Amino acid sequence: MALPSIYSSEGLSPRDANKPITSGEKRDKRPIEYTLKTIDDKVKAAVEHQGHDEDIEMVPMENEQEVDLITSYVSRSRETNFYEDDVNMNVEHAPDFALVDGNISLLIIDTNFCISHLTILDELNRLANDYCLKIIIPVYVIQELDGLKNSTKLEKDHSGNESVKNLAKWANDWIYNQLANSSSTVKGQNLSQRINTNLTKDDSILDCCLYFQQHYAHHLIVLLSNDKNLCNKALMHDILTVSFRPGMEAKLIGRKIMEESISRFGHREAKYKPVVNQSVPTQPQSLAPEITEVAKTITTTSETSPSTLIYREIQTLLLSVLHHCMVAEYQEDIDLIRDYKKENVVNLLQCSQLLIRFWFSVFQQYFKAMPGRFVPFEEIGEGRRSKKIPVYVDEPTRQNAVKFVDFWSAVLKVLYNGIMNEQENEALDIFIARWKDLASRI
């Protein structure tokens, strides 16, 4: 039988004639060096764009070749390195998830996703309330990012070490900022939140998924990773995965996750009232002592000025209710919070600073239902550059007494409605009416 050839007597069959003529190994459409150059150029431009060291640049990997290169680098680094359980982030001790009713989904983030898609991760964080999302950073991912940003070039590695170091640093800084600001959406996995404490690398990230799958059975667990092997392991345990696709957007991810959650668990109405320790009665029979203290000033004859009375009484109630909210959120971990002691918060300025510091992790949930987006501070700027500024923290004057009372009365009403019992809310209404009367006399 003659071999297929244009020179043979039989010639080529139509099938053979349409085959491309090739020799040697199949090569990528774009060589590694070309893809590496596009990554290096983007990262270099981002470094030059940085205004100061605190800026966090977000350089998205926009095609499959770039994503594969970053994922391959992280995989090779993971094979050759081992990280101990020593997370060097000096952040607030995050409480366990206070999950309330609703189609809340937990997103477990892999290292390669943090590095390649920090823009999408940041957008998911902003859309978290719209799609009921919580973002969890596994312990090993924090360790790995810290190692990558300080890494030396891997031997025989084609990828750009310096670019990956910068990408890892920005991802690490983004996570640090979220945790340090006590984000209500982004949480770091606690060392206690593991099934097998001896696992490392891919297995430790899968273990993180399995832990939350076991402890939060009525919430969707989703792994965000570009590592195909890790995704396959997750899928074998009925854990959904999200990997890079051209045109991938945060809104699409959030919408698909929400739809899947509703499909599996049905529509569950979200509630924003905090979950308190069930061992502590939420409806005490007696009034809180600070209410009794303020009530005494009503029946006691005093030469104290109306403005001073208003300031002191509001301050007394606010100091107490803020601590109630902190205890409801952090429970037995309250003593572990850095630089927070109830006795160190003694005036309205410090109350306002406390509201701002723990806004996302504790207090924002109380104000969600307020019309007109009322917040207990002044906010200027937008996005990461926005600033929250305390207001009405000095004793009221004739010019601002009415606004002072209206502002702090609204703050107290929101917090009391969320954390105090019915009798205490009725007592607050009496105090507010009195403050308005006093304000009219200043």
Side-chain angles (χ1 to χ4, degrees):
M1 184 177 76
L3 292 173
S5 170
I6 59 173
Y7 301 108
S8 72
S9 57
E10 296 180 9
L12 288 175
S13 67
R15 179 171 174 271
D16 287 331
N18 290 326
K19 285 184 177 179
I21 299 175
T22 61
S23 63
E25 296 181 356
K26 181 180 178 181
R27 297 194 303 177
D28 292 335
K29 293 180 181 179
R30 290 184 173 181
I32 288 176
E33 289 75 13
Y34 178 88
T35 304
L36 173 59
K37 186 177 186 304
T38 64
I39 295 175
D40 285 343
D41 287 347
K42 289 194 291 187
V43 172
K44 183 179 179 181
V47 171
E48 293 174 351
H49 176 264
Q50 281 186 293
H52 49 79
D53 291 341
E54 293 182 1
D55 283 345
I56 299 175
E57 294 295 333
M58 299 186 185
V59 182
M61 299 299 108
E62 297 170 329
N63 60 61
E64 193 169 353
Q65 289 80 17
E66 291 176 350
V67 170
D68 286 348
L69 193 59
I70 295 296
T71 303
S72 177
Y73 184 102
V74 173
S75 296
R76 288 195 295 274
S77 174
R78 189 172 287 176
E79 290 172 1
T80 58
N81 291 292
F82 173 77
Y83 301 104
E84 300 286 348
D85 284 341
D86 56 345
V87 179
N88 296 319
M89 289 189 176
N90 184 20
V91 299
E92 306 289 358
H93 180 85
D96 203 352
F97 292 92
L99 292 177
V100 194
D101 290 342
N103 293 96
I104 298 173
S105 300
L106 306 184
L107 311 185
I108 314 297
I109 313 300
D110 194 3
T111 306
N112 52 62
F113 200 95
C114 288
I115 292 176
S116 296
H117 313 299
L118 189 57
T119 304
I120 290 178
L121 194 58
D122 189 57
E123 183 67 14
L124 284 170
N125 184 32
R126 286 196 289 269
L127 296 171
N129 288 335
D130 296 336
Y131 298 108
C132 296
L133 305 176
K134 296 283 187 182
I135 297 172
I136 303 170
I137 312 297
V139 170
Y140 198 80
V141 169
I142 296 176
Q143 296 164 348
E144 193 165 44
L145 285 171
D146 189 62
L148 285 169
K149 72 184 179 68
N150 298 310
S151 66
T152 57
K153 186 175 177 62
L154 289 176
E155 191 176 349
K156 298 180 181 179
D157 186 21
H158 294 286
S159 57
N161 182 67
E162 195 62 32
S163 293
V164 174
K165 285 174 65 174
N166 279 303
L167 292 169
K169 177 183 181 300
W170 292 326
N172 190 74
D173 290 346
W174 183 87
I175 293 170
Y176 175 87
N177 283 352
Q178 299 302 320
L179 299 181
N181 291 322
S182 300
S183 167
S184 60
T185 301
V186 181
K187 300 291 183 182
Q189 176 196 15
N190 293 334
L191 292 177
S192 60
Q193 294 173 321
R194 295 183 292 183
I195 300 172
N196 186 339
T197 58
N198 296 320
L199 297 177
T200 61
K201 305 180 181 181
D202 281 9
D203 290 336
S204 69
I205 297 173
L206 178 62
D207 183 85
C208 177
C209 297
L210 295 174
Y211 174 90
F212 285 99
Q213 184 186 54
Q214 289 184 13
H215 288 77
Y216 301 97
H218 298 292
H219 298 277
L220 201 63
I221 311 299
V222 184
L223 171 66
L224 276 59
S225 173
N226 293 319
D227 186 325
K228 293 181 175 60
N229 289 330
L230 178 57
C231 287
N232 286 335
K233 292 179 184 178
L235 290 170
M236 290 172 62
H237 290 87
D238 197 29
I239 295 168
L240 298 185
T241 66
V242 172
S243 299
F244 172 78
R245 293 290 184 274
M248 182 173 67
E249 295 180 350
K251 283 187 177 180
L252 179 61
I253 293 173
R255 180 166 58 82
K256 291 293 185 182
I257 289 174
M258 172 64 85
E259 290 173 356
E260 181 64 24
S261 176
I262 293 174
S263 173
R264 290 194 180 198
F265 305 110
H267 181 74
R268 304 168 68 188
E269 190 66 29
K271 296 180 182 178
Y272 296 108
K273 187 172 180 179
V275 175
V276 297
N277 189 343
Q278 296 303 311
S279 64
V280 179
T282 58
Q283 299 289 326
Q285 297 302 310
S286 59
L287 293 174
E290 67 274 7
I291 291 180
T292 303
E293 179 182 343
V294 171
K296 289 180 180 178
T297 65
I298 297 178
T299 57
T300 302
T301 302
S302 173
E303 297 180 357
T304 306
S305 68
S307 61
T308 301
L309 281 174
I310 291 172
Y311 183 90
R312 287 181 181 175
E313 292 176 10
I314 288 177
Q315 175 182 276
T316 298
L317 296 183
L318 190 61
L319 287 169
S320 178
V321 75
L322 291 178
H323 185 66
H324 280 300
C325 295
M326 293 291 288
V327 171
E329 180 68 26
Y330 291 99
Q331 300 179 24
E332 66 272 11
D333 293 330
I334 189 76
D335 293 333
L336 300 176
I337 300 177
R338 175 165 50 89
D339 299 333
Y340 173 73
K341 295 291 181 185
K342 179 184 178 183
E343 56 270 22
N344 292 339
V345 182
V346 297
N347 55 45
L348 282 188
L349 174 59
Q350 292 171 331
C351 286
S352 188
Q353 290 170 337
L354 186 70
L355 281 163
I356 291 171
R357 178 185 173 192
F358 292 94
W359 175 245
F360 291 107
S361 60
V362 179
F363 300 109
Q364 184 186 44
Q365 55 194 328
Y366 293 89
F367 289 82
K368 285 182 182 292
M370 284 292 286
R373 196 179 173 274
F374 173 78
V375 292
F377 43 75
E378 181 181 346
E379 191 167 15
I380 58 174
E382 295 181 356
R384 295 195 309 250
R385 299 187 184 278
S386 67
K387 292 185 178 179
K388 298 175 177 63
I389 302 173
V391 292
Y392 296 114
V393 294
D394 298 318
E395 191 170 301
T397 63
R398 178 177 298 176
Q399 289 73 26
N400 72 357
V402 173
K403 290 184 177 179
F404 181 97
V405 169
D406 288 344
F407 177 82
W408 286 117
S409 295
V411 174
L412 286 167
K413 284 286 289 182
V414 170
L415 298 178
Y416 263 60
N417 184 61
I419 202 73
M420 307 298 277
N421 68 29
E422 185 177 351
Q423 288 176 299
E424 289 161 336
N425 274 272
E426 291 173 356
L428 177 63
D429 289 337
I430 296 172
F431 296 148
I432 290 174
R434 178 168 178 267
W435 297 334
K436 290 182 176 181
D437 178 62
L438 289 170
S440 67
R441 291 192 267 142
I442 295 178

